[in-house]
Amino acid sequence: MHKYTSVFDILDVDTAVKQAISLKKDPFKYNHLGKNKTLVMLFFNSSLRTRLSTEKAAQNLGLNVMVLNVSNAWKLEFEDGAVMNLDTAEHIKDAAQVVSQYADIIAVRAFPELKNKAIDASERILNSFVNYATVPVVNMESATAHPLQAFADAITIEELKLKKQPKVVLTWAPHPKALPHAVANSFVKMMQRLDVDFSIVHPKGYELDPKVTKDTPCSFNQEAALADADFVYAKNWSSYKNYGQVMVQDENWMCTKAKIANAKFMHCLPIRRNVVAEDALLDSQNSVVIQQANNRTFAAQYVLKSILEQQ
Ligand code: AN0
Ligand code: CP
């Protein structure tokens, strides 16, 4: 693997999932692979799971890790040929080449601003690192994608499924803030690649990018969609059509123990309790969100291992 910016950088998902599950059983098997090599993690946004699971994965492989929380303090310029006599202090092409000299792999988290669809779609920060860095780049959630999360989700479904082709439903859930489409996008793309009976349900106005959903069935009736589901994956996202807007916050879309019935309940976390899903569900045996978060380590470890093996 030469980079991991999209779920499509995994060529054979079934094999990758099986290998990640093997890494979970024997996490230190390859602990010399990263010797004398360094992972630099750049966070333009905060993180709990991605930060710690990716660092743990790197440590399991013997990699050194350096973390930089960039936040808004680093005023980067993205325009080629810009006359930088205003706010921006450093051009991304310089920054990416400099970081590449300290790193054997660069991992980047850079959320969308949810203001300008075209800028977010261009993946300005992530793609600038891909273009200008001289080492492989890993996506730790970008404007439109969260492929490490989606890979961990695929691992979790493989571990827990009780039938060959489980029914998996992605349901929109309410949230007080406008959230990105990244988690939903990557989950949809991953499910389209697995042997699952997959559908999406959301209120009208919350259609995801049709270039992502393609021919995946989408409906508006949550109760009907969730019937007989084996896995229910809840996530809030803002409107894609009315880009970045919160159209409704209908609390009737909150996931409850009664709605989920016998299904396994999944969420990427962090979760707003009693808004996205009720306590009675999250604290029940149906919820697999903690196992899901643990699998982030082995998803990241498979990705870092695959990149190191190509170097
Ligand atoms: C982010 C999102 O929805 O994309 C990160 C989730 C992993 N969530 C929040 O900002 C609350
Ligand atoms: N699921 C996830 O990516 O969580 P963090 O934002 O805590 O990294």
Side-chain angles (χ1 to χ4, degrees), residues 74-78 82-91:
W74 197 17
K75 296 257 185 253
L76 282 177
E77 176 62 55
F78 295 93
V83 178
M84 292 169 53
N85 61 355
L86 294 172
D87 267 357
T88 55
E90 174 149 26
H91 202 286

Side-chain angles (χ1 to χ4, degrees), residues 224-239:
L226 297 192
D228 303 321
D230 297 299
F231 294 89
V232 174
Y233 195 108
K235 182 73 184 84
N236 172 268
W237 58 86
S238 56
S239 174

Side-chain angles (χ1 to χ4, degrees), residues 24-85:
K24 188 173 180 178
K25 295 196 180 107
D26 193 1
F28 307 118
K29 187 170 177 191
Y30 301 94
N31 64 359
H32 290 294
L33 199 58
K35 191 170 188 293
N36 296 333
K37 294 198 170 180
T38 301
L39 168 69
V40 170
M41 300 203 284
L42 301 177
F43 285 93
F44 290 83
N45 309 92
S46 62
S47 166
L48 172 72
R49 280 144 290 271
T50 305
R51 161 82 167 75
L52 295 178
S53 64
T54 309
E55 179 160 351
K56 188 172 163 76
Q59 286 176 359
N60 288 351
L61 294 166
L63 274 162
N64 298 314
V65 180
M66 297 195 292
V67 183
L68 188 63
N69 293 316
V70 180
S71 143
N72 291 324
W74 197 17
K75 296 257 185 253
L76 282 177
E77 176 62 55
F78 295 93
E79 286 298 317
D80 232 0
V83 178
M84 292 169 53
N85 61 355

Side-chain angles (χ1 to χ4, degrees), residues 142-200:
S142 64
T144 67
H146 197 359
L148 283 173
Q149 180 67 52
F151 186 20
D153 301 338
I155 294 167
T156 309
I157 289 171
E158 176 63 27
E159 285 179 328
L160 293 168
K161 72 181 185 188
L162 298 173
K163 54 174 83 136
K164 192 176 174 305
Q165 196 189 57
K167 175 174 171 177
V168 180
V169 183
L170 170 63
T171 178
W172 180 92
H175 197 283
K177 290 194 166 170
L179 292 190
H181 308 99
V183 170
N185 285 345
S186 291
F187 185 71
V188 171
K189 288 179 183 178
M190 184 57 95
M191 290 307 110
Q192 288 167 344
R193 300 186 68 188
L194 295 185
D195 187 14
V196 292
D197 167 11
F198 180 54
S199 61
I200 306 170

